Amino acid sequence: MPLNQVLPFVSSAVMLIFTVSVLQRWFLKRKAHFLFWGIGLAMFGASSFAEAYFALGRWSAPVFFLWYLFGAVLNAAWIGHGSLLLLVRKRWVHALTALLIVGSLSASVLMVQAILKTNGSAYVGGIASASSTAT
């Protein structure tokens, strides 16, 4: 199996280990930043696993939805929010958390609308996009 097919599976396994470790800390210490970091790491792991699925040359609209939503749209915001919880005044925490949740839900709704318009028959395994083959 080529390296570009193996690495996404390795990345998924590493992210699973990190996610479990961080969420264990949250269960023990009940510090909100561990929870947000754990959720963000879980999103990254799901995205990495979706990439592994695609590396095998398969296509699935729901898997693409997970890959794009968790990998490109949400995970950095959730991990970053965990860091903000350590840095900002506590009076801002609730407003920022609400903004993150509303933004995440809005992005999810927009992604569902976009994925319903996705043409899976245009997918060609091993090629980044149809436009990348044009010279």
Side-chain angles (χ1 to χ4, degrees), residues 31-37 39 43 74 77-86 88-106:
K31 302 277 185 174
H33 61 275
F34 287 123
L35 176 62
F36 284 94
W37 286 339
I39 291 170
M43 290 177 180
L74 295 181
W78 284 77
I79 292 171
H81 188 69
S83 298
L84 280 175
L85 291 174
L86 295 174
V88 299
R89 292 187 220 176
K90 297 303 176 198
R91 67 183 174 138
W92 288 99
V93 169
H94 297 299
L96 292 172
T97 302
L99 186 62
L100 174 68
I101 291 170
V102 169
S104 296
L105 291 173
S106 299

Side-chain angles (χ1 to χ4, degrees), residues 6-62:
V6 173
L7 286 178
F9 287 103
V10 172
S11 175
S12 298
V14 169
M15 291 316 302
L16 178 63
I17 293 167
F18 282 151
T19 300
V20 169
S21 175
V22 169
L23 289 176
Q24 282 177 338
R25 284 191 178 198
W26 176 73
F27 280 116
L28 292 174
K29 298 184 180 200
R30 296 294 180 184
K31 302 277 185 174
H33 61 275
F34 287 123
L35 176 62
F36 284 94
W37 286 339
I39 291 170
L41 291 172
M43 290 177 180
F44 186 88
S47 173
S48 183
F49 190 76
E51 182 180 348
Y53 181 84
F54 292 138
L56 297 175
R58 298 185 176 121
W59 165 257
S60 167

Side-chain angles (χ1 to χ4, degrees), residues 113-129:
Q113 292 173 353
I115 205 68
L116 293 175
K117 297 176 184 178
T118 302
N119 181 6
S121 65
Y123 175 75
V124 178
I127 297 177
S129 69

